[in-house]
Amino acid sequence: MRLVLLGPPGVGKGTQAKQLEKKYRIPQISTGDILRASLRDGTPLGLRAKSYIEKGKLVPDDVIINLIRERLQKNDCKNGFILDGFPRSIPQAEALDIMLNELNTPLHSVVNIEVPGEKIINRLKNRRICRKCAKDFNLITNPPPADMKCPECGGEIFQRNDDKEVTIQNRLAVYDKETAPLIEYYSGKKILRTVNGYNKHEEVHDSIIMVLEGVH
Ligand code: AMP
């Protein structure tokens, strides 16, 4: 299954992608996680992306498209993948189409996760993640342990710099301008499925499975 999860920051794409990864045994490919790992490790990609991420802007399309092209060639993508946070602009979506068409392996579905705008800001402000394995927590609904050590891998749990309030506003504005047009793009291709993301994670997961497996 070749899948894209679409939706503004904070709707739970990462959480859902991790569940789908387990269920379908295909990798979650999160461009945000890849960029943060590169930033942490001080690679050339991380250095190039740093100022964009800190301002809540999109990293240039050519950088991201090259990153995805390389990632999709890895062996673990043979049976499919879940793209989380990519594409985020029309040029990225067009580049993805070209890549997949060349291989004769088009996308099956794009799942658009919807959450009311005012709820998103709260989710982002309260989000904390593990620096090592990217597992996420929420101070209100899924609080991290008091010692801020990840129960899964022991990594440090922290607040992403771009989850602070000033940057959140930028990221949401960038989503509306650059990424939201993908809803129309994919609905024109008849592969867009929309689910209500303002429910418990398990319920959102079930709705995604229902739309993916065609049970409505
Ligand atoms: P995320 O973890 O998906 O919210 O991504 C964090 C940040 O990484 C974004 O605010 C962008 O600066 C950058 N980023 C992640 N994915 C992309 C993408 N597909 N295109 C451009 N920038 C991206």
Side-chain angles (χ1 to χ4, degrees), residues 1-3 21 24-30 34 67-83 100 103 105-106 108:
M1 166 138 30
R2 291 174 294 277
L3 191 65
E21 177 175 53
Y24 293 114
R25 296 169 193 275
I26 49 176
Q28 169 200 16
I29 301 177
S30 156
I34 297 173
L67 183 164
I68 284 288
R69 183 175 290 113
E70 279 181 22
R71 181 64 188 86
L72 292 183
Q73 279 166 9
K74 298 214 167 133
N75 235 351
D76 63 342
C77 294
K78 267 202 321 235
N79 295 326
F81 46 76
I82 305 149
L83 291 173
L100 296 178
L103 300 168
T105 54
H108 290 116

Side-chain angles (χ1 to χ4, degrees), residues 191-211:
I191 54 171
L192 188 85
R193 313 275 178 269
T194 296
V195 299
N196 174 7
Y198 190 52
N199 273 325
K200 289 201 181 117
H201 293 327
E202 300 75 26
E203 291 172 50
V204 180
H205 175 76
D206 290 347
S207 319
I208 295 178
I209 302 301
M210 281 207 284
V211 297

Side-chain angles (χ1 to χ4, degrees), residues 6-82:
L6 190 64
V11 293
K13 297 187 296 296
T15 307
Q16 293 302 328
K18 287 187 177 68
Q19 295 300 318
L20 295 169
E21 177 175 53
K22 279 191 210 144
K23 180 171 169 68
Y24 293 114
R25 296 169 193 275
I26 49 176
Q28 169 200 16
I29 301 177
S30 156
T31 40
D33 285 350
I34 297 173
L35 293 170
R36 274 184 296 280
S38 308
L39 203 74
R40 182 193 64 205
D41 299 342
T43 68
L45 172 66
L47 295 176
R48 174 105 204 260
K50 187 172 191 282
S51 66
Y52 297 97
I53 297 178
E54 282 171 355
K55 294 189 195 102
K57 290 185 173 174
L58 292 190
V59 174
D61 286 333
D62 59 325
V63 175
I64 295 287
I65 290 166
N66 282 332
L67 183 164
I68 284 288
R69 183 175 290 113
E70 279 181 22
R71 181 64 188 86
L72 292 183
Q73 279 166 9
K74 298 214 167 133
N75 235 351
D76 63 342
C77 294
K78 267 202 321 235
N79 295 326
F81 46 76
I82 305 149

